[in-house]
DNA sequence: GTTTAATTTAAACAAATGTTTAATTTGTTT
DNA sequence: AAACAAATTAAACATTTGTTTAAATTAAAC
């Protein structure tokens, strides 16, 4: 994958995130990437295949690093804390592609390379299950929490910050994008961690 | 607003949700609504104004019913439980428009009637604050939880089920759409309630 | 240095897009 | 019944769309 191809992919990522796949023309992408219009077909075949290739090249970024979470010396609580922070950081670093995936994945006619992404999603969901199991085996977590629901709370809370950026920046009085990212990786990650931890040790 | 106009709005809602605003042509809408193409311009002026009108006509559905949550006889815990269930049910009943708003609202060039929606969002956020305050005044909730973060967890967890419908239907082995809606209004709402309640009474 | 392949370009293509037009039908009012 | 307004239609409109073409340029191989 040469430099020009990467520029095209970066331009596509930026514009797809900002304006959506259907709201972005290949001419927009060509202009943003400073390449001739025909280069996109030349390298990627079509606009659809460009989206496909974009996902493929970014796919591995979404696999959560197992070792960071399951260090042998970690308690269940430490694994949980790591899980949440690694998860939020990983997703936030790939927020652009994740937002595109989230939006375009919900569109029926788009038959996104869903196999590979489903595989990764299930792998990541498995991590949540493993952390849960670790705490249950250690006798410190409540048994009855569904990993799917737990994962939805983690991912959903995070994604809410991606989908409502301007509203939340306003409400939280955050002016710069860097500050917003900092808020996500610190306060938001802490909130998610506290929330899930509370749920797991909560008995009613 | 006559019958034909409503059919157009319903068709637009359905298609915008399925294929996105830019992925839907006015011809698609006309066909779905069984009206002549020109009727859309005739009644709504333009495709953009159609979207605007769609939001306007559905706007009030998003205002959470205050009385259902703040019955005088309710304890803070009961208000919290009501809040979550009313919230989830309200949003689920308007999931289509909410998804459109969520997706299209993130697109920069689209200058959605954001004032009216921001107002409602803030009103609903205020409800969360009020429930929180009620519990704090009663001495039963933890003081340090941000209503914005709490709201993000509630909305985000719910929206995660809207944005990842097919994946979750697969993972949860839910086959029908009705069963999925039931799952959302029962198990999911309970999960969100348990989660938030746990956080609010949790002390570390 | 010549030949061959890869890259880059401007132009053209047909199809689809949102919107308008001008004519016709339908409904209402007098 | 006549006159008027509202609703409905098929056709046309100018752009924009994704993609292809054929020629020109650059790079690589021999």
């Amino acid at each position: 994958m040469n430099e020009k191809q990467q520029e095209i992919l970066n331009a596509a990522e930026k514009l797809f995130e900002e304006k959506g796949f259907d709201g972005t023309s290949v001419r927009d992408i060509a202009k943003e990437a400073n390449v001739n219009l025909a280069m996109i077909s030349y390298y990627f075949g079509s606009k659809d295949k460009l989206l496909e290739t974009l996902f493929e090249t970014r796919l591995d970024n979404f696999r959560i690093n197992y070792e960071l979470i399951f260090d042998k010396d970690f308690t269940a609580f430490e694994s949980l804390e790591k899980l949440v922070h690694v998860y939020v950081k990983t997703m936030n670093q790939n927020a652009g592609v994740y937002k595109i995936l989230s939006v375009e994945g919900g569109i029926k006619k788009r038959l996104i390379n869903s196999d590979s992404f489903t595989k990764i999603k299930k792998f990541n969901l498995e991590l949540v299950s493993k952390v849960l199991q670790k705490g249950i085996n250690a006798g410190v977590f409540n048994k009855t929490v569904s990993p799917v629901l737990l994962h939805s709370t983690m991912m959903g809370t995070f994604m809410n910050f991606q989908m409502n950026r301007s509203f939340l920046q306003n409400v939280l009085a955050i002016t710069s994008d860097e500050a917003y990212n900092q808020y996500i990786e610190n306060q938001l990650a802490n909130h998610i961690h506290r929330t899930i931890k509370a749920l797991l040790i909560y008995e009613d």
Side-chain angles (χ1 to χ4, degrees), chain A:
Chain A
M1 186 124 324
N2 66 38
E3 206 174 323
K4 196 157 278 197
Q5 291 173 58
Q6 296 197 41
E7 276 186 57
I8 294 173
L9 286 171
N10 290 337
E13 178 180 343
K14 184 186 171 210
L15 294 176
F16 289 164
E17 185 195 352
E18 278 179 10
K19 323 203 295 172
F21 179 80
D22 287 315
T24 304
S25 74
V26 291
R27 283 171 181 79
D28 291 337
I29 298 169
K31 185 176 279 182
E32 175 77 28
N34 284 310
V35 300
N36 185 279
L37 170 63
M39 297 305 289
I40 289 168
S41 295
Y42 179 72
Y43 277 128
F44 299 99
S46 71
K47 192 189 174 190
D48 282 286
K49 289 214 196 98
L50 171 62
L51 179 65
E52 216 176 291
T53 308
L54 175 63
F55 283 137
E56 274 169 23
T57 61
R58 309 288 203 256
L59 193 67
D60 284 338
N61 300 342
F62 289 99
R63 178 168 275 113
I64 300 294
N65 190 329
Y66 186 92
E67 283 76 22
L68 289 178
I69 295 166
F70 290 102
D71 188 298
K72 283 179 190 168
D73 298 335
F74 283 171
T75 66
F77 285 117
E78 285 168 331
S79 279
L80 176 66
E81 184 171 11
K82 266 292 176 188
L83 171 76
V84 173
H85 279 86
V86 168
Y87 222 112
V88 168
K89 192 164 193 176
T90 302
M91 295 300 153
N92 201 40
Q93 280 167 347
N94 300 279
V97 184
Y98 201 88
K99 189 176 166 190
I100 298 169
L101 179 68
S102 186
V103 168
E104 308 301 337
I107 284 169
K108 289 181 178 169
K109 74 173 171 185
R110 204 109 57 232
L111 55 160
I112 280 170
N113 184 3
S114 59
D115 271 357
S116 2
F117 262 105
T118 300
K119 210 179 277 180
I120 289 208
K121 276 182 177 175
K122 286 193 175 167
F123 172 84
N124 289 344
L125 190 55
E126 202 54 39
L127 291 189
V128 176
S129 290
K130 282 204 169 70
V131 171
L132 251 172
Q133 200 55 49
K134 191 174 178 179
I136 289 167
N137 290 344
V140 292
F141 288 172
N142 183 334
K143 229 184 195 57
T144 64
V145 180
S146 150
V148 175
L149 291 173
L150 214 65
H151 183 267
S152 285
T153 292
M154 179 168 65
M155 257 338 272
T157 305
F158 167 75
M159 275 309 286
N160 188 64
F161 268 72
Q162 298 301 330
M163 300 299 282
N164 297 288
R165 195 184 198 87
S166 67
F167 175 75
L168 287 171
Q169 281 200 356
N170 173 329
V171 168
L172 295 171
I174 297 174
T175 49
S176 80
D177 283 357
E178 303 96 66
Y180 194 70
N181 279 331
Q182 283 302 309
Y183 187 93
I184 287 175
E185 295 191 14
N186 298 323
Q187 280 100 314
L188 180 61
N190 278 331
H191 163 73
I192 295 174
H193 172 233
R194 267 172 60 92
T195 302
I196 292 180
K197 185 175 176 185
L199 177 64
L200 288 175
I201 63 180
Y202 164 73
E203 294 281 359
D204 55 350

